[in-house]
Structures are given as structure tokens and as C-alpha cells.
Amino acid sequence: MAIEALLLDIDGVLTISWEPLPGAIEALERLRQRDIPIRLITNTTTKNRADLAATLRGAGFDVSDDEIVTAVVATAAHLRRAASDAKVFVLSDGDATEDLEDVRLVGVDDAEVIVLGGASDDFSYDTMNRIFRRLMEGARLVGMHRNLFWKTAGGWQLDAGAYLAGLEEATGVRATICGKPEEPFFSAALDALGVEAGRAAMVGDDVLNDVAGAKAVGLTGILVRTGKYRPGDETDRGVVADHVLASFAELPDLVVGGSR
């Protein structure tokens, strides 16, 4: 079936540490020339949506603010819907307050809902232990995403998914996840595009959160061998990508060849 629209991961697909990957800017330009609708769907929590768009434009990518769908925005929507009056503590690697407008933010010891975003040096033993205590006392647990790790220009980095798994195991509390790989996150992006899942593809470097999550909702799953990709991901993780590309730079040839 023709690929009529695209969901694109950012980190590891378009950029590494916000520097464009080889051929990525040109590939996005080629897709624009074919008038293929695009949404950038990201678990990145270091920047809000406006900052993300500005950073990408500064790096040379033609993107607008409204084309970006973030896990932080999805988390805010969940909190407003499911915990509108709750006291919420957020631990993340970026300042999420702008995207969490109207959410009642408090310190960890007063929280009724604990939200974990991207991991950082603030994920200290003291803070994690205080979170553990709140969960044992009945607080709810929310994760912006379940990413276990990512890759920067400086090397591999552990992410919040590892901490979520530990907290779930220790407390018996299951986290509600708002970003990838959860179905509502993909569906929100597809709704914005006005395209059915069967006519769209997700392009990512994470075979579990990007490819498996996308395929579970009916999207074509495209894995790129950049970013956090490791040799064997296309066969060893229990997920079969529909297409595997060396990089995002190869995507226009696949999409144009399959859609015309």
C-alpha cells in the first residue's frame, strides 16, 4: 500500500545531539517537494515544542511548531483528563512547565501523582527513594515515555525507562505511559494528519518504541540504522520492521518509489 503520510522520530533519525545527520536536511526537503504530510513525533523531553521547532529550524530543517507532537504535551493532556485536581511532581531533564500549564505542580513529598520524563543528574538516589516512598503510600505513577537509553554525541546514556521499571518492580505500581509506544500518542499524530494508520509510516531508530509501537496500531514500521540502533535490532528484539534503511537519507527513494 502507498505511504501517504509520515511520522518521524527526531533524535537519532534527523539529528544526534541536535546536529543534523548526513543527508537528513536534504531528505526532508525532497519529501516536502512531494507534498507528503509529516508529523515529528518525539519522546524528547529536554525542550518544549516551540523550542524544538526553533532548534530544528536553526539546524537547517524546514519544520513548523504545529508539526511537532511531544510526549510532554501528551502527558499534560493525560493529567488534565485523568488527574485534573491532583498534586503532581514532575522529574525530567527539561523544564516542562510551559507545556504543563494548568497542572498543579508540587514537591515530591506532597505529590499524589509522580511523573517521570527524561533522565538526568536530578535522578539521584535521594529523589528516587522519596518517589519510591510516595508510591508505597498510594501515589500514582506516570511516565512520559519508556525509553531505556539513547545515544548522544558523547555516547550512550541511560534513560527514564530503566527507573520506571525499577519503581514498578519495587512498588507493584504500574506506570501509565503517555508517549511512544502507546497507541493514543500515535493516534493523536495521525488525527492531526487526517490519515488512516494503514496509509502512513513511522520512521525511527528504536525498534521497540518506534517500530513495534507503530506496527501495533497498523502503521508501516521503518527502522533506520542510526542513533540508538544496534546491530541485530531488526532480528533480535522480537520485532520485524517493514523496512530497514541505512539512514533517513534513503527514505525519499522508498516513499516516492512506493507511492507513485
Side-chain angles (χ1 to χ4, degrees), residues 150-167:
W150 79 102
K151 193 174 186 181
T152 70
W156 297 102
Q157 301 223 33
L158 194 65
D159 209 347
Y163 294 88
L164 279 171
L167 288 169

Side-chain angles (χ1 to χ4, degrees), residues 44-228:
T44 297
T45 57
T46 54
K47 300 175 183 289
N48 62 39
R49 181 165 64 174
D51 287 342
L52 268 172
T55 298
L56 289 170
R57 286 193 293 269
F61 292 97
D62 174 22
V63 300
S64 61
D65 293 12
D66 61 4
E67 288 182 305
I68 296 178
V69 184
T70 75
V72 181
V73 171
T75 300
H78 167 76
L79 292 172
R80 294 187 188 106
R81 181 177 64 252
S84 59
D85 296 322
K87 293 181 284 187
V88 178
F89 173 70
V90 176
L91 181 64
S92 186
D93 56 353
D95 184 359
T97 54
E98 183 174 330
D99 287 332
L100 293 173
E101 186 180 1
D102 300 329
V103 175
R104 189 179 176 190
L105 300 177
V106 300
V108 60
D109 297 320
D110 297 317
E112 298 167 316
V113 179
I114 302 291
V115 178
L116 297 190
S120 70
D121 290 341
D122 292 333
F123 281 54
S124 65
Y125 176 79
D126 177 67
T127 299
M128 298 309 299
N129 200 45
R130 290 162 71 187
I131 287 172
F132 165 72
R133 289 171 180 161
R134 290 302 302 137
L135 295 173
M136 293 295 283
E137 292 165 358
R140 286 172 279 170
L141 182 60
V142 173
M144 293 187 186
H145 56 71
R146 245 188 221 287
N147 290 18
L148 294 170
F149 58 88
W150 79 102
K151 193 174 186 181
T152 70
W156 297 102
Q157 301 223 33
L158 194 65
D159 209 347
Y163 294 88
L164 279 171
L167 288 169
E168 288 177 325
E169 182 69 19
T171 64
V173 176
R174 185 71 176 174
T176 297
I177 305 301
C178 299
K180 294 179 290 185
E182 297 305 302
E183 180 275 334
F185 195 48
F186 291 106
S187 294
L190 289 169
D191 288 345
L193 289 171
V195 176
E196 295 178 357
R199 294 187 172 274
M202 173 71 207
V203 185
D205 63 327
D206 185 325
V207 71
L208 297 179
N209 287 312
D210 294 333
V211 176
K215 286 174 66 68
V217 300
L219 286 151
T220 296
I222 301 175
L223 178 67
V224 292
R225 295 191 180 107
T226 53
K228 69 170 62 173

